[in-house]
Amino acid sequence: MTTEHNAPVTRPRRAWAMKDLVLMVVLGVVFGFAYWALVQAWNGLSILMGPAGDLSQHVLFGGWLLVAPIAVAIIRRPLSGVIAEILASVVEVVFLGSPVGPTLIIAAAIQGAGSEVAFALMRYKRFGWGVFALSGLLGASMVFFYSAFRFGWYGQDIFFLRLVMQALSGIILGGLLAKVIVDALARTGVVDNFAIGREMTGR
């Protein structure tokens, strides 16, 4: 019989704080505008690459993954990355008129989930360079197969070239760059009142 004395002690999970929700909205809006600007860069790069312009989206793709790992690393709660990514896509579609249209929200949910899986596997307790790199890799790879279905990439001779380019972009722009941004924000002290700050100060 289990007595009160030897019963396992469980630490209740803190409820979502209003500041966490507000931060997710702010990140979603900021990166919604950033992602829209990235679309313009994509169009420019596509022209510069000439006949290979269709591959420009894979070169820059990791940039569209940034908000998820940044949100997770600061807030450190399940689904924070997915929600932030969806919010950014809504800003792109509804307020900025993204040419991709509403299907962008589906893609955002997939890439946000992929990006967050890496941190979930570490139970939201490890935030080193390797975890960020894995986040970018999974985010880019998971949404790639959805995009390949939508745009008919399966069966193309350059299918694996597309996959490799997008995966590398995810690692570099969607993973490692996110780590650089998070560390820079932490050094400024602007995120001290969030989970990342509590962990750094031992509070």
Side-chain angles (χ1 to χ4, degrees):
M1 183 174 67
T2 303
T3 65
E4 183 180 349
H5 218 36
N6 58 20
V9 177
T10 58
R11 180 179 299 176
R13 182 181 288 273
R14 272 197 296 255
W16 278 77
M18 180 59 69
K19 63 185 178 183
D20 294 333
L21 298 174
V22 171
L23 178 63
M24 278 198 305
V25 172
V26 170
L27 288 174
V29 171
V30 169
F31 278 91
F33 278 89
Y35 289 175
W36 178 84
L38 194 56
V39 171
Q40 314 316 309
W42 166 25
N43 291 334
L45 181 61
S46 177
I47 294 172
L48 289 175
M49 291 178 65
D54 185 47
L55 297 177
S56 61
Q57 59 187 300
H58 305 300
V59 175
L60 298 176
F61 185 83
W64 283 287
L65 300 172
L66 278 170
V67 74
I70 291 173
V72 172
I74 295 173
I75 300 171
R76 306 197 171 181
R77 285 191 173 278
L79 296 181
S80 54
V82 178
I83 295 171
E85 196 74 56
I86 291 174
L87 287 173
S89 70
V90 169
V91 170
E92 273 192 273
V93 173
V94 177
F95 298 102
L96 300 176
S98 171
V100 180
T103 55
L104 179 64
I105 298 173
I106 299 174
I110 296 172
Q111 64 197 44
S115 295
E116 189 161 333
V117 163
F119 300 101
L121 291 172
M122 305 301 166
R123 304 178 71 177
Y124 300 91
K125 294 179 179 178
R126 292 179 56 188
F127 297 88
W129 290 98
V131 182
F132 273 87
L134 180 61
S135 170
L137 173 63
L138 293 178
S141 299
M142 283 183 63
V143 77
F144 175 84
F145 294 101
Y146 166 73
S147 299
F149 173 77
R150 284 188 59 220
F151 300 118
W153 296 338
Y154 290 108
Q156 291 185 353
D157 292 339
I158 60 172
F159 176 82
F160 288 105
L161 174 62
R162 289 184 184 275
L163 176 58
V164 170
M165 289 177 66
Q166 185 153 312
L168 288 175
S169 179
I171 292 171
I172 297 169
L173 297 180
L176 301 181
L177 178 57
K179 170 66 170 170
V180 171
I181 293 172
V182 169
D183 287 350
L185 289 173
R187 285 194 296 270
T188 67
V190 297
V191 292
D192 282 355
N193 290 327
F194 295 91
I196 185 175
R198 290 195 296 270
E199 181 173 301
M200 292 176 65
T201 59
R203 287 181 287 146

